[in-house]
Amino acid sequence: MNPLRIEATRPGVGVMEYRVSYRETDQMAAVYYSNYLEWAERARTEWLRGHGLCYREWEDIHRLRLPIRQCALRYFAPARYDELVQFATALTALGRASLRFDMTVWSPAGRALCDSAVELACVDEGGKPTPIPETYRAILGRLVHATAGA
């Protein structure tokens, strides 16, 4: 799984800014590597919410879960304490019972710091793969095409 570079200016891309906290850095004053996975979750959750598809509805109304099937990170340069970084997030693939989100973390100077790709499965409460509800599929289908080739 190769992450795509996501540009903040493309249609369908969600952009979120975040200031790096001290607790997220290591002794080299760089963001500790696992924090990028946490940021990817925050960014895709906000992307879904921004398009009217919050996780809570998937769980409470449809009784569905979205566990991670696989993820990949590619690091280029460290984010540093107190930097205001930007996450650009896009839905880049939509399967019958899966979603793929790609994210790029950008520095204040516009330099790519990290790319990530996360594939989620759509499952029922017992963990069995389940098709994405048609109402969501209609919305997601329009958005994935807007970002194809990002």
Side-chain angles (χ1 to χ4, degrees):
M1 172 186 271
N2 243 354
L4 299 175
R5 176 68 42 85
I6 303 299
E7 300 289 339
T9 57
R10 293 191 52 94
V13 171
V15 178
M16 188 174 92
E17 288 188 335
Y18 178 76
R19 187 162 307 278
V20 176
S21 70
Y22 184 76
R23 73 171 182 79
E24 293 170 308
T25 61
D26 59 19
Q27 285 189 315
M28 296 182 293
V31 169
Y32 188 68
Y33 74 94
S34 66
N35 285 308
Y36 290 90
L37 288 171
E38 200 171 306
W39 292 354
E41 180 174 350
R42 183 177 299 158
R44 77 175 168 273
T45 299
E46 290 303 318
W47 186 95
L48 285 166
R49 181 177 286 121
H51 292 94
L53 304 169
C54 70
Y55 270 157
R56 184 165 306 280
E57 283 185 15
W58 290 72
E59 292 182 352
D60 293 349
I61 295 172
H62 299 284
R63 299 292 192 223
L64 297 173
R65 306 293 183 259
L66 297 172
I68 293 176
R69 284 180 43 178
Q70 62 178 321
C71 64
L73 294 168
R74 198 169 40 187
Y75 301 100
F76 305 110
R80 302 283 182 187
Y81 167 65
D82 207 37
E83 270 189 320
L84 187 63
V85 295
Q86 185 180 75
F87 312 141
T89 306
L91 176 68
T92 55
L94 177 63
R96 184 177 155 278
S98 66
L99 304 150
R100 175 181 159 153
F101 286 91
D102 287 66
M103 178 187 77
T104 299
V105 179
W106 296 93
S107 75
R111 182 177 49 138
L113 303 176
C114 177
D115 289 337
S116 70
V118 177
E119 185 178 332
L120 306 164
C122 183
V123 301
D124 64 17
E125 292 177 305
K128 180 181 172 197
T130 304
I132 295 168
E134 202 51 49
T135 53
Y136 291 177
R137 177 171 292 292
I139 295 167
L140 295 169
R142 287 191 300 269
L143 295 166
V144 74
H145 295 296
T147 60

